[in-house]
């Protein structure tokens, strides 16, 4: 029979009381620790409460840095400020007790100053300078997570301390709970980071969907861009600015949205006072020039200093509190149309690559929407121009047809004895109206040929002076009818040109000089200028306003009313096409009421 168990060995009463008290403290500490959600909270509870509970003189907690090469101070209690500065970051060096505890993965117990000096001489002599010359003891406990160190706790006690088995196991418990707290905080932080990321992704997707829908519905794109910008605030940014490129290498702001609407005026004001340098190496000008996106996860003060024009500019930039920004080009098939900028100016949110990706997707849709709206606008303008043109063309064609049909009738109705002279006169008129009709039809055909790019030149050796002589001979009668004097100054210039197209160029220009020349003298000058031939047609008629001058070389464009002058607005467009097909140039010098000089140059 086994002997009955004897009574358990007696625990001395003082030790029992101490053990009970420590267990109670450990309970309080773990209960409190279970509420800690961040590493900082865990460190605060462990250091502050641990130090007090153990009646330590001072305490601190470090974690292992992300690189794994250093210890970073998370919390310290009752460390003199100069000591805190020294221990903020520590190399993991076996000559320092806390680092040694990390390296070994085991607590380091230093029961007295002499013990410290004996085992870590170098570190002890450095510590000496900061501590009063009294005795002290140190416990350094690594915080182990799955067998690997994650940080270390150090507690310093006044006076010698043997660190008996009870105390060691109590402190080891504290370190164990601390490790659990670390793990919980790490998981919690990872989870809330993931949640924040998921929320941000959802917000971006929702914004993109809304903005895309908006962009697809309206053809008034400037208004739509403004709506999209205000939709982006505050979810995507605290500021959103849209700029559209102009024709002079600059840009104009078409939309500014801000969480605090009263700041919008400030933004316009800053831009007026400090217009962006179109050659700037960063920001909107750079994005407009290069088409490349820019992401400033962090906007450090030095960036503001670099971008500031003067003190006042810097002051305003700082006041705006810009923290993080991204700027993306709005493009349509490789052409930069504008840029959209998002700025964060309030909390600690920062833009990431994911935000930039969203901004690029948005900008792509904006580019397509703008291109669509422009295409729609120009299609409508083209349709309007074509309708106007049809009306004019109808009238223009009807005039010679009406004349021809009258002359035709009168010739059919000719009676015996009508003088031959009269019949011949009607025949002449009939020919002139038929020529006019043929010319109009030819112009129309030329337009469709040229628009379809079906112009081919039949080059030959041609003397430009001779072409002018032929054309003016043919037109002499017409000019005499309007009593327009014509003088020619012709230097023979031979070149490889298409004779009939050259004829057409001269006919158009001299014809216009006659039509718009008010019967005043016309000069036609042909001369050679180095490797080029120059033709000038000078009249002294109604002239052309400066603003109209570039326009008259376009299709259907006229600077006169059809009530006063007949015409289709095609002659100069055709002329320019023919000149350019020869590699030449055409331009006009004119002032209203003072006549016009058209100059054509052609490479020989
Ligand atoms: P159209 O003469 O049939 O209108 P054009 O293409 O030849 O068409 O000319 C376009 C416009 O340019 C004219 O409508 C007129 O306003 C202006 N223009 C052309 N030549 C002259 C000129 N010599 N003097 C003044 N205006 C002119």
């Amino acid at each position: 029979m086994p002997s009955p168990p004897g009574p358990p060995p007696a625990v001395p009463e003082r030790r029992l009381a101490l053990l009970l008290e420590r267990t109670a403290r450990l309970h309080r500490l773990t209960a409190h620790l279970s509420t800690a959600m961040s590493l900082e909270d865990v460190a605060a509870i462990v250091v502050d409460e641990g130090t007090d509970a153990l009646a330590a003189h001072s305490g601190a907690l470090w974690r292992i840095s992300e690189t794994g090469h250093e210890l970073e101070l998370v919390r310290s209690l009752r460390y003199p400020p100069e000591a805190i500065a020294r221990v903020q970051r520590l190399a993991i060096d076996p000559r320092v007790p806390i680092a040694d505890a990390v390296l070994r993965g085991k607590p380091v117990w230093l029961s007295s100053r002499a013990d410290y000096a004996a085992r870590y001489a170098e570190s002890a002599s450095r510590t000496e300078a900061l501590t009063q010359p009294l005795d002290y003891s140190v416990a350094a406990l690594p915080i182990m997570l799955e067998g690997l160190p994650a940080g270390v706790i150090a507690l310093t006690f006044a006076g010698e301390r043997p660190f008996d088995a009870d105390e060691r196991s109590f402190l080891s418990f504290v370190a164990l709970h601390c490790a659990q707290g670390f793990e919980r905080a790490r998981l919690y932080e990872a989870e809330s980071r993931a949640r924040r990321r998921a929320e941000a992704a959802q917000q971006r997707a929702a914004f993109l969907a809304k903005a895309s829908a908006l962009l697809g519905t309206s053809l008034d794109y400037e208004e739509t861009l403004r709506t999209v910008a205000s939709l982006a605030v505050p979810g995507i940014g605290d500021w959103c600015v849209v700029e559209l490129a102009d024709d002079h290498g600059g840009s104009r702001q078409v939309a500014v949205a801000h969480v605090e609407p009263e700041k919008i005026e400030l933004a316009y004001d800053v831009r007026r006072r400090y217009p962006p340098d179109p050659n700037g190496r960063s920001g909107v000008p750079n994005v407009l020039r290069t088409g490349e996106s820019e992401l400033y996860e962090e906007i450090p003060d030095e960036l503001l200093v670099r971008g500031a024009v003067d003190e006042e500019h810097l002051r305003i930039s700082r006041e705006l509190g810009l923290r993080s920004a991204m700027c993306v080009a709005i493009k349509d098939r490789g052409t930069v149309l504008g840029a959209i900028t998002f700025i964060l100016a309030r909390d600690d949110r920062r833009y990431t690559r994911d935000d930039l990706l969203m901004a690029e997707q948005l900008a792509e849709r904006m580019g397509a929407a703008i291109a669509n709206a422009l295409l729609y606008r120009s299609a409508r303008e083209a349709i309007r121009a074509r309708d106007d043109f049809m009306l004019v063309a109808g009238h223009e064609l009807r005039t010679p047809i009406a004349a021809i049909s009258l002359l035709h009738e009168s010739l059919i109705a000719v009676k015996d004895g009508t003088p031959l002279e009269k019949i011949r006169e009607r025949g002449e008129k009939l020919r002139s109206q038929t020529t006019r009709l043929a010319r109009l039809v030819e112009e129309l055909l030329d337009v469709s040929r040229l628009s379809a790019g079906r112009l081919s030149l039949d080059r030959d050796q041609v003397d430009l002076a001779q072409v002018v002589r032929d054309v003016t001979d043919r037109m002499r009668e017409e000019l005499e009818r309007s009593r327009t004097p014509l003088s020619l100054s012709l230097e023979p210039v031979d070149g490889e040109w298409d004779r009939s197209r050259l004829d057409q160029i001269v006919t158009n220009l001299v014809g216009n000089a006659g039509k718009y020349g008010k019967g005043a003298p016309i000069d036609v000058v042909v001369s050679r200028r180095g490797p080029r031939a120059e033709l000038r047609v000078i009249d002294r008629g109604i002239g052309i306003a400066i603003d109209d001058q570039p326009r008259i070389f376009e299709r259907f464009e006229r600077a006169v009313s059809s009530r006063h002058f007949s015409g289709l607005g095609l002659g100069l467009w055709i002329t320019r096409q023919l000149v350019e097909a020869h590699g030449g140039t055409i331009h006009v010098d004119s002032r209203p009421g003072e006549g016009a000089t058209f100059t054509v140059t052609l490479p020989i």
Side-chain angles (χ1 to χ4, degrees):
M1 262 203 28
S3 57
V11 180
E13 215 162 291
R14 221 179 64 78
R15 189 176 159 217
L16 190 64
L18 205 63
L19 276 178
L20 283 174
E21 192 203 315
R22 280 186 184 157
T23 312
R25 279 192 206 145
L26 198 58
H27 265 303
R28 276 203 298 277
L29 191 70
T30 49
H32 204 169
L33 262 179
S34 66
T35 63
M37 288 306 181
S38 71
L39 197 74
E40 285 69 22
D41 290 350
V42 172
I45 294 168
V46 170
V47 171
D48 299 6
E49 294 185 15
T51 309
D52 275 353
L54 295 161
H57 171 266
S58 54
L61 185 149
W62 289 261
R63 73 157 153 225
I64 295 190
S65 68
E66 261 172 46
T67 58
H69 300 314
E70 270 182 329
L71 292 171
E72 290 171 354
L73 183 69
V74 186
R75 181 83 177 186
S76 66
L77 186 75
R78 290 200 286 273
Y79 267 52
E82 60 276 22
I84 294 180
R86 239 189 48 199
V87 298
Q88 203 68 39
R89 301 185 86 83
L90 290 171
I92 303 184
D93 173 351
R95 288 168 303 173
V96 178
I98 52 168
D100 194 30
V102 167
L103 280 173
R104 290 204 276 160
K106 288 213 174 72
V108 169
W109 311 104
L110 302 171
S111 57
S112 66
R113 180 180 183 157
D115 190 12
Y116 192 163
R119 288 168 58 192
Y120 300 95
E122 207 179 317
S123 173
S125 70
R126 263 184 281 130
T127 313
E128 208 85 314
L130 295 167
T131 48
Q132 63 278 53
L134 295 171
D135 209 349
Y136 61 90
S137 41
V138 176
L141 303 128
I143 301 164
M144 304 299 285
L145 275 183
E146 289 167 3
L148 292 173
V152 56
I153 309 167
L155 294 168
T156 310
F157 300 87
E160 243 180 73
R161 200 176 185 93
F163 294 114
D164 61 24
D166 286 346
E167 196 155 50
R168 286 183 189 204
S169 75
F170 173 70
L171 282 171
S172 300
F173 262 127
V174 171
L176 184 71
H177 284 288
C178 181
Q180 286 165 356
F182 253 52
E183 178 64 357
R184 226 183 4 257
R186 199 175 60 80
L187 288 176
Y188 181 77
E189 269 168 31
E191 191 198 289
S192 51
R193 234 195 335 267
R195 197 179 42 238
R196 275 201 302 277
R197 259 209 302 274
E199 278 167 6
Q202 199 179 20
Q203 194 170 37
R204 280 194 298 264
F207 166 69
L208 204 57
K210 250 194 200 163
S212 307
L214 260 172
L215 286 166
T217 52
S218 169
L219 287 163
D220 179 355
Y221 67 87
E222 290 206 7
E223 185 52 42
T224 313
L225 295 181
R226 277 190 283 278
T227 319
V228 169
S230 40
L231 207 64
V233 168
I236 305 297
D238 298 321
W239 289 86
C240 179
V241 180
V242 182
E243 306 234 352
L244 289 184
D246 61 22
D247 297 334
H248 322 290
S251 62
R252 84 197 148 84
Q253 252 170 8
V254 294
V256 177
H258 192 279
V259 264
E260 298 160 44
E262 61 277 8
K263 290 250 170 90
I264 293 177
E265 218 16 73
L266 182 64
Y268 280 115
D269 190 42
V270 172
R271 199 182 188 286
R272 258 193 305 273
R273 282 164 64 190
Y274 304 99
D277 168 13
N279 300 313
R281 296 265 136 240
S282 63
V284 174
N286 193 48
V287 169
L288 288 176
R289 219 180 31 248
T290 63
E292 304 280 337
S293 308
E294 288 184 7
L295 170 64
Y296 298 94
E297 279 168 44
E298 199 68 56
I299 302 183
D301 191 58
E302 70 208 54
L303 196 70
L304 300 182
V305 173
R306 239 189 301 142
V309 175
D310 55 25
E311 277 302 311
E312 173 68 358
H313 192 193
L314 181 61
R315 190 188 62 73
I316 300 173
S317 307
R318 280 185 176 144
E319 199 178 293
L320 291 173
L322 317 176
R323 303 245 150 107
S324 184
M326 53 185 181
C327 181
V328 171
I330 301 171
K331 290 189 250 185
D332 173 47
R333 281 163 296 171
T335 308
V336 179
L337 306 175
I340 181 163
T341 309
F342 297 92
I343 300 172
L344 290 171
R346 292 179 307 165
D347 45 29
D348 54 0
R349 239 177 84 201
R350 297 290 179 266
Y351 285 129
T352 62
R353 293 259 133 215
D354 290 340
D355 294 303
L356 189 69
L357 204 68
M358 180 280 303
E360 286 174 344
Q361 286 170 351
L362 174 70
E364 206 173 287
R365 285 162 213 200
M366 284 177 145
I370 295 175
N372 264 347
L374 289 178
L375 214 63
Y376 177 74
R377 193 184 286 176
S378 70
R380 279 187 47 168
E381 275 163 13
I383 291 171
R384 181 152 1 102
R386 194 199 58 193
D387 290 347
D388 290 351
F389 170 74
M390 299 281 245
L391 201 70
V392 175
H395 278 294
E396 286 295 310
L397 292 170
R398 205 162 58 185
T399 314
I401 290 172
I404 288 167
S405 114
L406 278 177
L407 289 162
H408 191 205
E409 289 298 331
S410 76
L411 282 175
I412 288 173
V414 139
K415 294 203 183 69
D416 286 350
T418 308
L420 199 58
E421 200 43 41
K422 254 207 158 115
I423 298 176
R424 192 170 287 140
E425 196 186 304
R426 285 179 205 164
E428 276 304 324
K429 280 191 184 146
L430 196 57
R431 186 172 65 183
S432 133
Q433 291 299 337
T434 316
T435 310
R436 185 172 163 197
L437 188 61
R439 215 188 278 162
L440 283 170
V441 171
E442 212 45 52
E443 260 188 12
L444 289 174
L445 287 176
D446 266 345
V447 171
S448 70
R449 271 198 287 266
L450 287 169
S451 302
R454 283 203 312 262
L455 175 73
S456 63
L457 295 179
D458 195 1
R459 288 183 191 261
D460 206 351
Q461 272 295 316
V462 183
D463 174 10
L464 178 59
Q466 188 52 47
V467 173
V468 171
R469 238 175 263 121
D470 293 346
V471 171
T472 49
D473 277 350
R474 205 170 55 228
M475 296 179 79
R476 199 164 292 276
E477 212 177 297
E478 197 178 302
L479 293 171
E480 270 167 11
R481 240 182 282 132
S482 59
R483 298 209 177 75
T484 304
L486 173 73
S487 79
L488 304 178
S489 162
L490 307 176
E491 182 188 335
V493 191
D494 280 345
E496 293 260 320
W497 300 307
D498 181 322
R499 185 188 299 275
S500 71
R501 293 308 190 178
L502 230 51
D503 184 303
Q504 208 176 343
I505 292 169
V506 179
T507 307
N508 279 343
L509 294 179
V510 178
N512 278 351
K515 182 153 103 182
Y516 302 107
K518 293 198 301 194
I522 296 173
D523 297 324
V524 182
V525 184
V526 171
S527 54
R528 190 187 171 123
R529 305 233 165 231
R532 303 191 144 241
E534 188 183 84
L535 163 73
R536 284 194 298 146
V537 180
I538 306 156
D539 70 58
R540 293 161 182 82
I542 63 169
I544 306 153
I546 298 277
D547 287 351
D548 289 331
Q549 289 177 13
R551 189 166 69 76
I552 56 172
F553 293 100
E554 298 302 326
R555 240 179 345 172
F556 312 135
E557 292 288 352
R558 312 192 70 210
V560 290
S561 123
S562 55
R563 258 186 290 139
H564 299 112
F565 295 94
S566 65
L568 296 174
L570 291 172
L572 283 182
W573 182 75
I574 293 172
T575 304
R576 178 165 70 96
Q577 303 297 314
L578 298 179
V579 168
E580 288 174 357
H582 279 91
T585 63
I586 181 166
H587 77 268
V588 64
D589 273 316
S590 177
R591 248 180 248 271
E594 293 180 20
T597 297
F598 283 86
T599 306
V600 171
T601 71
L602 295 169
I604 287 169

